[in-house]
Amino acid sequence: MRVLMLVPSIKAAGPINVVLSIICEARKNNIDVLLVEIRESEESSYKNILQSYMDRKIVFLGRSSFGGVSKFKKIINNFKPDVIHSHGFFPDLYNGFLARKKIVRVSTCHNVIHEDYTNVYGFLKGRVFSKIHYYNYKFCIDAVIGCSNTVSKNIVDHLVHPGKVFTIYNGVNIEKFRPISEDEKNDRKKNEGFLSKDIYVYCGGLDVVKRVPDLIKIFQKKKCNDSILIILGDGVDLKKCVQAVKGDNIILKGRVSNPEYYLQMGDYVVSNSSSEGYPLAILEAIACGCSAFLSEIPAHLEILEKYPDKIFSINLLLKTINNIGYNDFNFDSLGQELMAKQYFRKYIELSIGKGHI
């Protein structure tokens, strides 16, 4: 089976990490993948990792819209995909409006669209983009995969037929994101100067939706000299975050290439986000052995239902919680292999429905 994977650009972010997980498992399952990015990303170690799992060279569509459309059609003619799997607004436009109807057109939705777009682009532009995206899902895309039931329900609530909406939970690379021994963890804390301290980690963007400046204020109310908050990520709210810091127990690391180093050293992961799809950073932290303090939004509550012994309301951050453990926790349930195989089964099912197999 041939799958054309279509993304906005390649960077170390949640949706592209999901793409990486699918590609990692594709070769083992005889899936021939061609990865296409709308905008050419810079050469990076992350991009090289993606390339290492594929036999075909990553391509990009072009620097102009017209050139991109033309190249996209040529790629389809040459590669002859059975499935086009897109991620994001512009990839979904190419997939929905330009791909031939005989090709299976799949999209993964990674967010609650109208909430995310309104927060990022403002009310008017966000509303317009949302309507276009929901229209595309309703009339052009064959199957929409929500990364959580929260996301899938939102798509159906916007009049997309429930028969074409499915849920496949995000998975993580549990060989990379895994717990380390207590001795190794203490050695790492000692090297960083954090020995005998509880370490809280935030990993993600610094934007309006994530409410990280407010998270900093919540943590500072905790007034605990034995705790450190490490913030991994950057974004438009970086200046506000810097201004919110009032002590030396909050460390802004910026975007890092090795978040697992900090998550494995951490005791807790925290998120004060106002909107999420099914946050990969939280799953990666749980896979590394962290407990989580999360805002009470639908996607976080959905994680709570799946992992009730590890997730707590962020309101409890101000209180002391002891004896949180990971006895008999099945880390395999977080793995990318399970997620990828569900996608591959869906590709085959949809291809049979179109008479390809």
Side-chain angles (χ1 to χ4, degrees):
M1 173 172 283
R2 295 187 174 200
V3 177
L4 193 159
M5 198 73 70
L6 194 59
V7 300
S9 64
I10 295 171
K11 59 182 180 180
I16 310 303
N17 287 340
V18 171
V19 171
L20 172 59
S21 293
I22 295 172
I23 289 172
C24 285
E25 302 297 328
R27 189 181 287 169
K28 306 174 193 175
N29 291 270
N30 296 316
I31 305 290
D32 184 3
V33 176
L34 173 63
L35 180 59
V36 178
E37 52 182 352
I38 303 290
R39 301 180 301 276
E40 186 176 27
S41 56
E42 296 179 1
E43 292 295 330
S44 65
S45 57
Y46 184 84
K47 191 171 183 177
N48 292 336
I49 290 170
L50 266 163
Q51 184 64 74
S52 70
Y53 286 99
M54 294 182 294
D55 299 320
R56 298 178 182 273
K57 185 174 176 58
I58 297 169
V59 298
F60 82 106
L61 291 185
R63 304 190 186 281
S64 69
S65 298
F66 179 78
V69 169
S70 177
K71 190 169 183 178
F72 181 63
K73 291 181 176 179
K74 288 180 181 177
I75 289 170
I76 291 175
N77 288 334
N78 292 332
F79 183 56
K80 296 180 174 57
D82 301 292
V83 176
I84 298 177
H85 187 175
S86 52
H87 303 256
F89 180 81
F90 288 106
D92 284 349
L93 288 184
Y94 276 87
N95 194 5
F97 291 108
L98 297 175
R100 299 183 191 134
K101 292 184 178 180
K102 68 178 182 179
I103 299 172
V104 175
R105 294 166 295 178
V106 178
S107 168
T108 293
C109 185
H110 298 272
N111 57 4
V112 179
I113 289 175
H114 61 281
E115 291 181 358
D116 209 38
Y117 289 1
T118 301
N119 280 311
V120 173
Y121 301 113
F123 178 78
L124 184 58
K125 190 175 180 180
R127 186 178 177 85
V128 171
F129 276 29
S130 298
K131 285 186 175 295
I132 293 171
H133 212 157
Y134 289 130
Y135 177 92
N136 190 16
Y137 281 165
K138 186 175 181 180
F139 294 107
C140 305
I141 299 292
D142 295 313
V144 185
I145 310 295
C147 64
S148 67
N149 286 330
T150 298
V151 170
S152 296
K153 181 179 182 301
N154 175 66
I155 295 166
V156 173
D157 287 346
H158 283 81
L159 304 181
V160 178
H161 194 281
K164 64 190 291 185
V165 180
F166 309 91
T167 297
I168 296 178
Y169 286 109
N170 289 339
V172 303
N173 183 345
I174 56 176
E175 294 181 3
K176 177 181 179 181
F177 295 95
R178 58 177 178 80
I180 56 178
S181 69
E182 280 300 313
D183 288 342
E184 190 177 355
K185 185 172 179 175
N186 287 330
D187 286 344
R188 197 173 292 186
K189 283 186 175 184
K190 183 178 180 180
N191 291 337
E192 295 291 334
F194 301 147
L195 192 61
S196 301
K197 293 184 180 292
D198 289 332
I199 296 180
Y200 296 75
V201 183
Y202 169 80
C203 185
L206 307 182
D207 54 46
V208 176
V209 177
K210 306 300 184 183
R211 301 189 297 195
V212 182
D214 291 336
L215 173 63
I216 292 172
K217 293 173 184 176
I218 292 170
F219 184 79
Q220 288 176 150
K221 286 181 182 178
K222 192 175 183 338
K223 295 180 180 177
C224 182
N225 294 328
D226 295 329
S227 299
I228 296 289
L229 173 60
I230 300 174
I231 297 175
L232 310 177
D234 58 19
V236 295
D237 269 0
L238 176 59
K239 185 176 180 180
K240 290 182 179 179
C241 290
V242 172
Q243 291 171 343
V245 174
K246 303 298 181 184
D248 59 2
N249 65 335
I250 297 176
I251 300 168
L252 296 163
K253 285 285 187 180
R255 186 184 291 271
V256 299
S257 60
N258 59 337
E260 69 280 5
Y261 175 86
Y262 299 94
L263 295 174
Q264 288 167 337
M265 181 173 58
D267 301 291
Y268 308 99
V269 64
V270 289
S271 173
N272 189 41
S273 183
S274 63
S275 180
E276 292 285 355
Y278 200 68
L280 207 58
I282 302 302
L283 303 182
E284 290 168 347
I286 294 172
C288 287
C290 293
S291 297
F293 289 100
L294 307 178
S295 53
E296 295 181 21
I297 59 174
H300 285 165
L301 294 175
E302 200 168 335
I303 298 177
L304 170 61
E305 290 177 1
K306 288 178 70 69
Y307 309 108
D309 296 331
K310 294 153 190 58
I311 312 300
F312 305 92
S313 166
I314 201 166
N315 294 325
L316 296 176
L317 184 59
L318 302 179
K319 299 180 180 180
T320 300
I321 295 182
N322 298 315
N323 301 319
I324 296 173
Y326 283 83
N327 297 329
D328 301 322
F329 181 65
N330 179 17
F331 288 99
D332 290 342
S333 66
L334 292 163
Q336 66 184 22
E337 183 178 0
L338 176 62
M339 176 197 71
K341 286 186 175 180
Q342 290 180 66
Y343 273 109
F344 300 152
R345 284 196 293 268
K346 186 57 63 177
Y347 294 160
I348 293 170
E349 176 187 312
L350 293 167
S351 294
I352 291 172
K354 283 214 170 188
H356 293 184
I357 297 177

